[in-house]
Amino acid sequence: MDCDEVFNYWEPLHFLHFGWGKQTWEYAPQYALRSYGYLELHRVLILLMSFVGLGTRIQAFYAVRLALGIGCAFCEAVFVRAVARHVDRRVSNYTLLGLAGMAGMFHSGAALLPSSFAMCWAMLGSAAAMSRPGTRRRVGCAVCAFAVAVVWGWPYSAVVALPFVVEEIVERREFLLNSMAIGVCAVVVTAGLAAAIDSWYYGSWVLAGWNQIAYNVLGRGGDSTLYGTEPWYFYVKNGLLNANIVVVLAIVCLPLWTVSWLALRLAGRRGDADHWRLLFRVLPFYVTLGVFSLQPHKEERFLSIVYPHMCFNAAVSLSLLRPLYSSPRLGYLVLCVAGIVGALRMAALVQYYAAPTHAFRQLPAAYMSERVVCMGSDWYRFPSSFWLPHNYRLQFVESAFDGHLPGDFTPSWISGSTRASTAMRRDDFNSMNRWEPAHATLSNMTTEVCDYIIDVEYPERSLPMEGAWKTVAQCVPILDTEHTPLLARVAKDLVENQHVIQVNSNSTIEHACDILIKHDIQSVPLFDQETQTYVGMFDLHDLATYILLKRSDQDNDSSAVQIQAAAARSSASGLARDAIMMGKRDSVSLLSDMSHMNPFYSVLPETTLAQVVAVFARGTHRVAVMDGNKIRGILSQTRVIRYFFEHCTESLTASESRLLDTPLRHLGLVTNDVVKVKPNSPVIQALALLERWRISSLAIVDEDDRIAGNLSVADVKYLAKQRRLASGTCMELVQAARFVQGMRDGRDRAAVFSVRPEATLRYALTKLIATGAHRVWVTEPRGTEERMRSGSISIGADPTPPMPMRRASVSSTSSQTVPIAPQHYAGSFNDKVCGVVSLTDILRLLTDTAPNQPELNPELNYASMD
C-alpha cells in the first residue's frame, strides 16, 4: 500500500471507528485538506461488519478491501457494457481484456484512495456520456457521476469530464443552459453534503476539496513540490510498468484516429457522426495525461483516474489497425500477452512488497498490558493500525528521515469524543514538511519506550538498528529496489550484483592463470568475442591434465604416460596434445573441459536453490547463472554453503537438525581410504593422483601418517607462473603457493584444519565457513586404529547423543548462532589422518536428508558445454 493511502485514509478511518490512530498534518483543523465525508462512506462497511459480529481490525480491513474491489468491478462492467452498446462490440471485448490484465487496475481498484474512488465514478460518468447527445438522461447521469467523483473523491478528476463538457457545448448549443443548470445543481447538492460532514468534524465551516486546490494549485499555505518532483515523462514510464503494451496503444490512438479521418476525407466521405463522436471518447486520456504531466509534483496514483480510458483507447487503436492484419485474433493475442506481463507484475507486487504485513502479523499477542512497536527510517512501510495485534501501538523512532512524520489523533477516550479530537487545534503540525520532534522517540530512548522494533536490514548497507537491539525475533524477505536491477528481480539472491570474471577464449594459458591468481578463483568462463558466446570453462583440473600431458612429452614417467593415454581418448585432449609443442602460444580454449571434471554447467535465474544443491551433490563445484547469452553470476559450493549457514540453520527440519548433530564417525566420513602423498613426493605424481581419483585435494602426511599439509588443485595455477615447481616436490609447491597468497593478503595460509571423528557435522560445517576452506581433514590420535572402522546410521533415527553444546551470537548485529564445541572436537598435529569432510559431502548429505529431493527441470537448465 502507498504510505499516503495508509496515513491519510486507513489511519483516520481506524480512528473514527476504534478511537485512536495516526494523524497527518492534512487533518489538522488549521489546514483541513482531507474529507471526513469520504471516510464516512467506508466506515458504514465496518459498522455493518460489527453488527454481524465480525468486528476485529483485520476483518474490518479486508471487508473494506473486498467492498472496494466489488464496487470497482461493477463500475468496470457498466463501462464495458456502454462501450459495447454505443461504440463497438469488438472494442468492448478489447477493453475488457485490457482491464483484466492491467497491473495498475489490480492495485488501484481496491485502494482506499480518493483517486480510486474518482476513477470508479468517472467510469460511470463516461459510460453515461457515451450515449448519443440530446437526451436529458445522458446529461443527468453523467453530470451527477462526475460531480460525485470531483466533490466526494478527488477534485482534479474534473479534467476527465472536460471532453464531455466540450461535446455538450458543440453538439447541444440550444440546450446549453439546461445542461449547466443540471451541473450546478449536482455540484451544489454533493458539495453541500460533503461540506456539512467536514465542517462538523473540523469544528468550523470547511470544504476540503477547495482547500486541496488552494494548496496544490494556488500555493496557499504551502508547496506541493516539497514532497518531490518528477520529469515530464514520468507517467509514460510509469504506464509502461503498470500497463506495458496497453499504454503504447493508448498513446497512438489519436494519431490513428487522425489517419483514419483523413482517409475518409480522401475517399470522398466527410465521415459520419459516430466517427467524429469517437474523438470525444478518446480525449479524456490525453487531456488528463497532458495536464498532470505539466505539474512538477507527480505520483503514480494520480493517473489511475484514466486507467479505464487508457484501456479503451488501446482497444480503439487495435480496432483502427484491424484492416492491416488478416487474423481477427491478433488483437486478442496482443492483449493476452499484455495480460500475462501484467499478471507477472501483480505477482511481483505480492511477492516482493508484502513483507510489512507479514512482519506485523508475527507480533506475539499482548493481553495483559499495552506494548509498543517502533519503526525508524522505513516508517512509510507501516501497513496501518488495522494490522496491529490487540493492545499494540505504533511509535516512530528518530532516524535519518528529516521530514514531517505523522502524529497521533488524541484518543477519543481522552478528549471525550471523536469530534473533540478532530477539531482540536495543535501546534505540532506544519505544512512545510519540517521535522517535528514530538512525533518521534529519541534514538537513545528506544530500549525504554519500544518493546519491538520493525525495520529493514539491507546486506549492502549498515544496520539501521544498533546498540541493545541484537535479538531478531522474525525475519521476512523484502525487495531492495535500490540495489536490484529491474530485470534481475526474479534471479536468485545469491548472484545479485556479482562481478563476473571471464577470459577471452583466444587468451594464452599463462594469461588465464594470471586471472585465476589475481582474483583467487579456481575456474573462469571462456568467452568467444567473435561469436559473442561462452564456449566453456577453464578449470584448474584442466590445467593439471595439461601439465601432465606436457610432462609426458618430456619423459616416460609411467603414471604420466597412463594419464596421457587416457586423455588422448577424448577429442578435446587430443587437440590439446597436438598444441603442446606450441609453448606459450597454447590457447586456453583448447584446455576447456580437458579433465571432464567441471564442465560448463549453467542454469536459469528461475532455478531454485534446492535444485542447484542437487547438482552440487553430484560433484559439480560451480554453475553459471545465465540470463539469455549473458552470465549474471557464478554460483559455487562455497557460496551456497555460506548462504545455508547464514539464513537457513534457524529453520531446519527435525531430520536436518539430527544430521548436523551427528558425529562424523557415524556418517561414513571416517575411513582409511584417504588419498595422500609424502612431503617429498613429486608434484607430477600428486597431479596424477588428483586426476586418477577425480578429487580436489590431497593430504600431505609424514612417515607416521601425521598430517603435514594440504595440496589442493587451487595450487596448480602457480605452476604456470613458476614452471620449475612442476619438477619439484609437493611440499615445495605448497610452500610457494602459501607464500604468494600470504604476500597478497597478509593472512597466514600455512595452517591445516582438522577435526576429530567425535566432532559433529555442524562443527565441521562451522569450521569450513570460518576458514573459507573447501574441505577439513578428519584426524584421530595414534593407537586407535581399531576404532577407525567407518560406521553408518539412518538419518531418520536418533544417533549417538551428541556432546552438549552452547550457542553464541556470531556478531552483535546478527541473530545467527554457531556452536561452541568441546576442545576434543578439534584435531591435533600429532593425530593420524583418517578421513575428509568436503563441501560436496555436506551438500550430498543435506540432499539425501530432504523429504522431497528436488528434481532438475530440463527446461530451466542449459546443456553442458563439454
Side-chain angles (χ1 to χ4, degrees):
M1 290 185 292
D2 182 83
C3 66
D4 185 71
E5 177 185 359
V6 170
F7 291 107
N8 274 328
Y9 302 102
W10 283 110
E11 283 299 294
L13 180 61
H14 185 276
F15 166 76
L16 291 180
H17 189 74
F18 296 101
W20 59 274
K22 289 294 180 181
Q23 180 183 9
T24 62
W25 68 270
E26 290 98 325
Y27 283 93
Q30 57 267 40
Y31 303 109
L33 266 63
R34 305 297 179 186
S35 173
Y36 284 101
Y38 170 75
L39 297 175
E40 285 292 352
L41 293 175
H42 301 84
R43 187 188 174 198
V44 173
L45 299 172
I46 302 179
L47 293 174
L48 292 176
M49 291 288 294
S50 302
F51 182 76
V52 298
L54 301 175
T56 65
R57 290 197 288 271
I58 197 64
Q59 289 172 342
F61 177 87
Y62 279 114
V64 174
R65 279 284 198 187
L66 181 62
L68 290 172
I70 293 174
C72 182
F74 171 78
C75 295
E76 291 179 57
V78 173
F79 182 75
V80 171
R81 183 171 180 269
V83 174
R85 291 184 59 185
H86 304 297
V87 180
D88 181 76
R89 185 169 296 276
R90 181 187 293 112
V91 174
S92 72
N93 293 338
Y94 288 159
T95 305
L96 180 61
L97 276 177
L99 289 169
M102 188 178 186
M105 290 296 297
F106 169 74
H107 58 74
S108 63
L112 185 65
L113 286 169
S115 55
S116 296
F117 181 86
M119 176 189 70
C120 293
W121 282 92
M123 273 194 286
L124 297 178
S126 298
M130 284 186 183
S131 60
R132 294 178 179 273
T135 61
R136 289 187 177 181
R137 181 179 180 181
R138 173 184 185 262
V139 176
C141 293
V143 168
C144 289
F146 285 130
V148 172
V150 171
V151 176
W152 284 78
W154 202 40
Y156 313 106
S157 61
V159 295
V160 182
L162 287 179
F164 165 72
V165 174
V166 173
E167 183 184 14
E168 282 295 306
I169 296 174
V170 173
E171 297 289 339
R172 301 185 66 220
R173 297 177 183 176
E174 65 277 13
F175 299 103
L176 182 59
L177 292 178
N178 187 29
S179 300
M180 291 178 61
I182 296 175
V184 170
C185 291
V187 170
V188 169
V189 172
T190 54
L193 185 57
I197 298 176
D198 292 338
S199 300
W200 188 84
Y201 274 109
Y202 283 116
S204 61
W205 178 255
V206 167
L207 185 58
W210 168 251
N211 289 346
Q212 280 194 53
I213 296 175
Y215 176 82
N216 291 304
V217 179
L218 304 179
R220 296 182 182 177
D223 185 3
S224 62
T225 59
L226 291 171
Y227 302 94
T229 59
E230 300 292 344
W232 64 269
Y233 55 82
F234 171 81
Y235 290 115
V236 177
K237 179 181 177 181
N238 187 261
L240 291 173
L241 182 65
N242 286 317
N244 55 82
I245 306 174
V246 173
V247 72
V248 177
L249 291 171
I251 291 175
V252 301
C253 180
L254 187 57
L256 290 175
W257 179 92
T258 304
V259 171
S260 176
W261 179 78
L262 291 175
L264 290 176
R265 294 293 300 269
L266 292 175
R269 298 170 54 189
R270 290 186 171 273
D272 55 19
D274 289 338
H275 190 78
W276 181 255
R277 278 196 293 270
L278 183 62
L279 174 64
F280 293 101
R281 308 294 180 265
V282 302
L283 280 179
F285 171 73
Y286 290 100
V287 174
T288 305
L289 179 63
V291 171
F292 288 165
S293 295
L294 293 175
Q295 305 303 312
H297 177 62
K298 303 177 181 66
E299 294 185 30
E300 175 181 339
R301 56 191 173 87
F302 289 178
L303 198 65
S304 63
I305 58 174
V306 287
Y307 280 165
H309 297 81
M310 183 188 298
C311 296
F312 172 74
N313 281 28
V316 173
S317 294
L318 289 174
S319 181
L320 293 175
L321 290 171
R322 177 66 181 83
L324 300 181
Y325 52 88
S326 57
S327 175
R329 296 187 177 90
L330 183 59
Y332 294 103
L333 178 62
V334 170
L335 290 174
C336 285
V337 172
I340 293 174
V341 177
L344 293 176
R345 169 65 177 165
M346 300 175 201
L349 290 173
V350 174
Q351 179 179 356
Y352 296 133
Y353 296 99
T357 56
H358 294 318
F360 276 90
R361 293 296 290 172
Q362 298 299 322
L363 291 171
Y367 297 104
M368 303 302 296
S369 61
E370 184 176 289
R371 295 186 180 181
V372 177
V373 57
C374 296
M375 298 187 74
S377 58
D378 288 275
W379 61 272
Y380 57 89
R381 300 184 189 274
F382 180 53
S384 82
S385 297
F386 285 92
W387 288 87
L388 288 175
H390 179 66
N391 270 354
Y392 273 83
R393 298 292 185 269
L394 175 72
Q395 179 64 41
F396 295 127
V397 176
E398 186 181 30
S399 64
F401 179 76
D402 59 356
H404 190 63
L405 287 170
D408 290 278
F409 281 102
T410 303
S412 58
W413 58 83
I414 295 179
S415 64
S417 66
T418 300
R419 184 174 182 271
S421 297
T422 58
M424 185 180 299
R425 290 180 175 267
R426 291 158 39 187
D427 297 330
D428 56 332
F429 292 106
N430 68 82
S431 62
M432 302 305 294
N433 198 24
R434 290 192 300 265
W435 171 259
E436 176 51 54
H439 293 177
T441 298
L442 294 177
S443 57
N444 58 358
M445 296 290 293
T446 56
T447 55
E448 289 78 11
V449 176
C450 307
D451 296 295
Y452 294 92
I453 287 183
I454 294 181
D455 216 332
V456 179
E457 173 186 339
Y458 295 111
E460 291 82 2
R461 312 171 205 172
S462 60
L463 293 180
M465 291 299 172
E466 300 176 352
W469 297 96
K470 301 176 183 178
T471 303
V472 179
Q474 184 72 27
C475 292
V476 183
I478 191 171
L479 181 71
D480 184 359
T481 56
E482 182 176 337
H483 288 82
T484 305
L486 181 62
L487 297 178
R489 292 183 185 179
V490 294
K492 292 304 297 177
D493 295 338
L494 278 70
V495 296
E496 285 184 358
N497 303 317
Q498 185 184 90
H499 176 58
V500 178
I501 308 300
Q502 62 186 30
V503 171
N504 192 324
S505 60
N506 294 326
S507 300
T508 63
I509 299 172
E510 286 80 4
H511 174 70
C513 290
D514 286 340
I515 297 296
L516 296 180
I517 294 173
K518 177 181 178 181
H519 298 282
D520 195 21
I521 55 179
Q522 297 188 25
S523 63
V524 63
L526 303 180
F527 186 74
D528 191 336
Q529 295 287 353
E530 295 183 1
T531 61
Q532 293 293 302
T533 57
Y534 291 93
V535 297
M537 184 78 76
F538 173 53
D539 185 85
L540 289 175
H541 284 281
D542 302 325
L543 179 61
T545 301
Y546 167 80
I547 293 174
L548 287 173
L549 289 170
K550 191 168 184 178
R551 185 73 175 181
S552 68
D553 278 354
Q554 300 174 2
D555 56 62
N556 291 323
D557 181 86
S558 58
S559 60
V561 170
Q562 293 174 0
I563 292 184
Q564 178 189 3
R569 287 193 288 268
S570 69
S571 58
S573 297
L575 291 173
R577 192 176 187 281
D578 294 337
I580 284 176
M581 302 306 298
M582 298 174 63
K584 288 189 176 182
R585 292 179 298 170
D586 293 347
S587 172
V588 69
S589 62
L590 298 177
L591 274 66
S592 177
D593 197 28
M594 178 181 290
S595 65
H596 296 284
M597 286 283 289
N598 285 301
F600 186 94
Y601 195 95
S602 58
V603 297
L604 293 178
E606 293 81 7
T607 307
T608 65
L609 183 59
Q611 292 173 324
V612 173
V613 170
V615 174
F616 287 156
R618 300 169 189 171
T620 301
H621 288 181
R622 62 198 57 83
V623 297
V625 181
M626 300 286 291
D627 188 358
N629 292 327
K630 180 180 179 182
I631 293 182
R632 288 230 169 254
I634 302 294
L635 200 54
S636 65
Q637 287 184 338
T638 304
R639 181 71 181 91
V640 170
I641 285 290
R642 185 174 294 276
Y643 181 86
F644 170 81
F645 180 80
E646 293 176 350
H647 297 87
C648 304
T649 52
E650 294 298 328
S651 57
L652 297 174
T653 63
S655 59
E656 290 170 339
S657 296
R658 286 196 297 270
L659 171 67
L660 291 180
D661 291 330
T662 302
L664 300 177
R665 187 187 301 279
H666 298 298
L667 295 174
L669 299 176
V670 181
T671 173
N672 285 320
D673 299 330
V674 178
V675 184
K676 48 199 173 185
V677 294
K678 301 298 182 182
N680 59 351
S681 298
V683 169
I684 199 69
Q685 179 183 347
L687 298 184
L689 290 174
L690 289 174
E691 299 307 302
R692 176 185 177 185
W693 295 103
R694 303 180 70 82
I695 54 179
S696 299
S697 61
L698 297 169
I700 301 178
V701 298
D702 60 14
E703 298 299 330
D704 295 325
D705 268 356
R706 292 178 300 187
I707 190 162
N710 175 80
L711 190 148
S712 169
V713 71
D715 301 325
V716 176
K717 57 179 175 283
Y718 296 99
L719 296 177
K721 299 296 294 180
Q722 303 181 45
R723 300 190 178 191
R724 62 175 181 80
L725 293 174
S727 302
T729 65
C730 293
M731 187 57 72
E732 289 175 346
L733 172 60
V734 170
Q735 290 175 346
R738 301 300 176 265
F739 176 78
V740 175
Q741 294 168 347
M743 291 293 291
R744 184 176 63 248
D745 56 20
R747 295 172 56 187
D748 181 10
R749 301 299 187 98
V752 178
F753 304 104
S754 60
V755 296
R756 294 281 178 83
E758 293 78 15
T760 63
L761 186 62
R762 189 190 301 272
Y763 178 78
L765 172 62
T766 305
K767 198 90 168 180
L768 290 171
I769 295 297
T771 61
H774 291 178
R775 85 282 308 154
V776 60
W777 300 103
V778 183
T779 61
E780 191 165 63
R782 299 182 57 79
T784 56
E785 288 81 357
E786 66 277 3
R787 293 188 283 117
M788 292 284 291
R789 301 186 183 90
S790 60
S792 62
I793 190 168
S794 172
I795 300 303
D798 289 331
T800 302
M803 300 297 294
M805 301 172 66
R806 295 181 287 116
R807 302 178 72 83
S809 175
V810 171
S811 65
S812 62
T813 58
S814 174
S815 63
Q816 181 59 48
T817 55
V818 297
I820 300 177
Q823 292 184 356
H824 65 271
Y825 273 15
S828 170
F829 286 109
N830 293 320
D831 288 354
K832 176 180 179 180
V833 62
C834 60
V836 62
V837 181
S838 67
L839 298 180
T840 301
D841 296 328
I842 295 176
L843 291 170
R844 184 180 67 251
L845 290 170
L846 290 174
T847 302
D848 294 340
T849 306
N852 297 311
Q853 297 185 21
E855 294 293 335
L856 279 175
N857 185 351
E859 297 181 357
L860 296 181
N861 297 276
Y862 294 84
S864 298
M865 297 183 181
D866 50 17

